[in-house]
Amino acid sequence: VFLATCVAAVADERWGDVELVRDRWGIANVFAETDEGALFGLGWATAEDRAFHMYMLARNMQGRSAEVRGLVTSNTHGDTTVEMDRRNRTLGYFRSAQRIAENLDEETLTLLNAYCDGVNTYIRQHPDRLSPLFEQTGLEPEPWTPAHCIAVVWNFAIHFTDDGLNDLQ
């Protein structure tokens, strides 16, 4: 038996009808008339479930994690947040993500913008439902962009592999 609750329904001429339904386990199911609508719904659901995590990963890739976390030393490598931020700014991960986003083909950019609009709409409409970690750390959500999407994917890639800097030694 599929027991579900409708969390959000949006009608927008940009992407048609979008419905976000959570099943009995809380898993988001997005139903949409268009691909853009599906990506909008996915962005909404991701922000609803993981907004704080998303923003912290983006801050890391921007070299801005110490702004939120303070001066903390990593248990893994012994680097401080300031040293990690300096490295990420020097390597220019987020600047590169911005350049790539500016040069995406129109279809990909349209889909990523729909996703970002889903994230931003959820954040804007539901500030009271955001993780208490936003308030506890003083982290203010900034507009989510295609560059944020690219940078966060890179963050996962670096986390599960290596940043490649060991090869330079």
Side-chain angles (χ1 to χ4, degrees), residues 31-88:
F31 301 94
E33 295 178 333
T34 65
D35 291 342
E36 293 86 351
L39 268 289
F40 175 88
L42 180 62
W44 177 291
T46 306
E48 188 172 37
D49 292 343
R50 309 287 306 171
F52 184 79
H53 190 217
M54 294 166 63
Y55 279 92
M56 281 306 302
L57 293 174
R59 284 288 177 104
N60 180 50
M61 295 304 279
Q62 291 171 322
R64 298 175 58 204
S65 64
E67 293 175 12
V68 176
R69 297 180 61 212
L71 183 60
V72 179
T73 302
S74 166
N75 291 336
T76 309
H77 301 290
D79 294 339
T80 67
T81 46
V82 171
E83 290 166 334
M84 290 183 287
D85 284 351
R86 185 177 298 124
R87 182 183 65 240
N88 289 345

Side-chain angles (χ1 to χ4, degrees), residues 101-162:
E102 291 168 0
N103 291 296
L104 290 172
D105 63 275
E106 187 175 336
E107 181 181 8
T108 302
L109 188 57
T110 297
L111 293 171
L112 272 178
N113 279 326
Y115 176 85
C116 294
D117 196 30
V119 171
N120 293 325
T121 300
Y122 180 82
I123 298 287
R124 186 175 55 254
Q125 290 182 2
H126 301 289
D128 56 321
R129 293 189 198 164
L130 296 178
S131 168
L133 291 171
F134 278 100
E135 187 174 331
Q136 290 171 12
T137 61
L139 177 60
E140 290 288 330
E142 298 169 349
W144 197 259
T145 68
H148 287 88
C149 298
I150 293 165
V152 166
V153 168
W154 285 350
N155 191 39
F156 283 119
I158 291 166
H159 177 76
F160 289 111
T161 59
D162 188 0

